[in-house]
């Protein structure tokens, strides 16, 4: 599946940003979708995931209560709403797709191009 991200950019601490990721190729509705991020000199980190039905969501502790992942299977699109942004959220964010329920980076075979988010204090 091919993934194309949009959104992100610059924000001040406490602000909000929203990502979209449009999928094409393998049926979108059968894929677990997730967002990962990678900050400079750090390893790629899991941020959030959503099951194919949208009924289950998973978040890294550092974003719980601030970020929301959602999906629209009719539009083959997954979203990441980011509120109450902090400078430590600064990273390149990646959309990813996998078969089955997983949050392990190695299980995701399709990745978006990555989009920069910079949060200023």
């Amino acid at each position: 599946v091919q993934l194309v991200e949009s959104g992100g950019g610059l924000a001040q601490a406490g602000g909000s940003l929203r990502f979209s990721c449009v999928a094409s190729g393998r049926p979108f509705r059968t894929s677990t979708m997730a967002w990962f991020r990678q900050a400079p000199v750090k390893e790629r980190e899991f941020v959030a995931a959503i099951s194919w039905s949208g009924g289950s969501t998973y978040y890294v502790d550092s974003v719980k209560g601030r970020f929301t992942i959602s999906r629209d299977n009719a539009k083959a699109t997954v979203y990441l709403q980011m509120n109450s942004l902090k400078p430590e959220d600064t990273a390149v964010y990646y959309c990813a797709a996998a078969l089955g329920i997983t949050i392990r980076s190695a299980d995701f075979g399709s990745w978006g191009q990555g989009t920069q988010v910079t949060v200023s204090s």
Side-chain angles (χ1 to χ4, degrees):
V1 61
Q2 290 74 47
L3 304 173
V4 178
E5 304 164 15
S6 60
L10 301 175
Q12 291 189 331
S16 298
L17 289 171
R18 190 190 196 211
F19 276 120
S20 298
C21 174
V22 179
S24 61
R26 182 181 70 219
F28 174 79
R29 66 184 62 192
T30 63
S31 300
T32 293
M33 300 299 298
W35 292 92
F36 290 79
R37 66 186 179 186
Q38 187 166 18
V41 302
K42 291 188 177 180
E43 294 186 354
R44 188 172 295 183
E45 173 190 39
F46 167 78
V47 176
I50 187 167
S51 63
W52 68 269
S53 68
S56 297
T57 56
Y58 311 86
Y59 298 93
V60 67
D61 286 346
S62 60
V63 307
K64 285 180 180 177
R66 300 189 298 120
F67 291 11
T68 302
I69 188 170
S70 60
R71 66 190 293 164
D72 184 336
N73 285 345
K75 296 181 178 179
T77 302
V78 62
Y79 306 96
L80 185 68
Q81 178 67 42
M82 302 182 290
N83 298 328
S84 301
L85 284 163
K86 303 176 180 180
E88 51 263 43
D89 294 319
T90 295
V92 176
Y93 283 72
Y94 298 89
C95 173
L99 293 176
I101 300 295
T102 182
I103 62 171
R104 295 197 318 148
S105 175
D107 293 334
F108 286 82
S110 299
W111 293 84
Q113 77 278 15
T115 305
Q116 178 70 45
V117 168
T118 302
V119 183
S120 61
S121 57

